[in-house]
């Protein structure tokens, strides 16, 4: 990395960049049919007064090359917050150059600054390049845990 590379917090002015990264990530994961948001909706939820989400954006030569979206959870066993990485994306032509690792290092610094006991994320089980990359950084898969999810329809059924 050199001085042409910076990572900074995302702002509402970056909303189209953030949406574009989210859509590109959905394309990579073959999940574009699940993208139902738009830049205007994201601006309301990511940058409202009561938001619980944060973004960081990586730029190289003033061009956006990657981003991460994260929020805080809580470990009752540790009695401390945790940082949860929802999405990390680096544009394909910039992969393998250290940008993804730099974003993770920055998130690690944020977790450390906020006294987080854990820094966690999920990865699709078919995404071997990402799994290998995360393992190379010392991350360990939580094989004994299964992620469960209720989507909006299931939440509606549950609450009625």
């Amino acid at each position: 990395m050199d001085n042409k590379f910076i990572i900074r917090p995302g702002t509402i002015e970056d909303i189209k960049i953030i949406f574009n990264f989210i859509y590109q990530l959905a394309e990579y994961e073959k999940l574009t049919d699940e993208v139902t948001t738009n830049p205007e909706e994201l601006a309301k939820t990511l940058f409202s007064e009561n938001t619980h989400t944060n973004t960081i954006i990586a730029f190289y030569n003033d061009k956006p090359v990657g981003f991460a979206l994260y929020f805080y959870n809580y470990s009752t066993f540790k009695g401390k917050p945790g940082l949860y990485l929802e999405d990390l994306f680096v544009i394909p032509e910039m992969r393998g150059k250290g940008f993804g690792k730099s974003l993770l290092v920055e998130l690690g610094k944020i977790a450390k600054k906020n006294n987080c006991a854990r820094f966690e994320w999920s990865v699709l089980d078919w995404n071997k390049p990402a799994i290998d990359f995360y393992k190379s950084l010392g991350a360990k898969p939580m094989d004994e845990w299964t992620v469960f999810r209720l989507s909006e329809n299931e939440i509606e059924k549950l609450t009625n």
Side-chain angles (χ1 to χ4, degrees), residues 76-93:
T76 54
F77 290 2
K78 300 291 184 186
K80 292 182 176 185
L83 188 146
Y84 188 84
L85 171 61
E86 179 65 23
D87 287 330
L88 180 123
F89 183 78
V90 173
I91 59 175
E93 62 269 23

Side-chain angles (χ1 to χ4, degrees), residues 1-151:
M1 293 298 139
D2 55 34
N3 59 4
K4 297 175 187 171
F5 177 69
I6 64 160
I7 295 175
R8 65 162 174 78
T11 68
I12 197 163
E13 289 78 22
D14 298 315
I15 201 63
K16 288 183 180 175
I17 294 169
I18 293 167
F19 178 78
N20 188 38
F21 282 139
I22 291 168
Y23 197 82
Q24 287 181 76
L25 175 62
E27 285 179 326
Y28 177 75
E29 294 180 344
K30 299 170 184 63
L31 296 171
T32 55
D33 57 325
E34 292 194 26
V35 178
T36 59
T37 193
N38 57 54
E40 295 76 25
E41 183 68 27
L42 281 174
K44 290 178 197 171
T45 57
L46 292 180
F47 298 103
S48 70
E49 185 177 317
N50 296 321
T51 189
H52 299 285
T53 57
N54 300 280
T55 58
I56 56 175
I57 303 176
F59 291 86
Y60 183 69
N61 289 333
D62 297 321
K63 178 185 175 192
V65 296
F67 96 118
L69 188 143
Y70 65 98
F71 57 88
Y72 295 95
N73 54 21
Y74 190 80
S75 170
T76 54
F77 290 2
K78 300 291 184 186
K80 292 182 176 185
L83 188 146
Y84 188 84
L85 171 61
E86 179 65 23
D87 287 330
L88 180 123
F89 183 78
V90 173
I91 59 175
E93 62 269 23
M94 299 307 278
R95 293 182 188 154
K97 300 179 186 312
F99 297 113
K101 182 177 181 180
S102 293
L103 283 163
L104 286 169
V105 167
E106 186 66 23
L107 290 169
K109 290 176 183 177
I110 293 167
K112 189 174 178 180
K113 176 182 167 197
N114 289 286
N115 195 30
C116 293
R118 297 178 176 142
F119 173 14
E120 299 175 312
W121 60 91
S122 297
V123 61
L124 291 166
D125 59 8
W126 58 260
N127 194 346
K128 184 166 172 28
I131 291 168
D132 292 345
F133 170 62
Y134 296 141
K135 285 181 176 179
S136 77
L137 300 176
K140 296 179 178 37
M142 303 295 292
D143 295 330
E144 66 275 14
W145 292 88
T146 300
V147 175
F148 283 84
R149 173 182 293 163
L150 290 175
S151 295

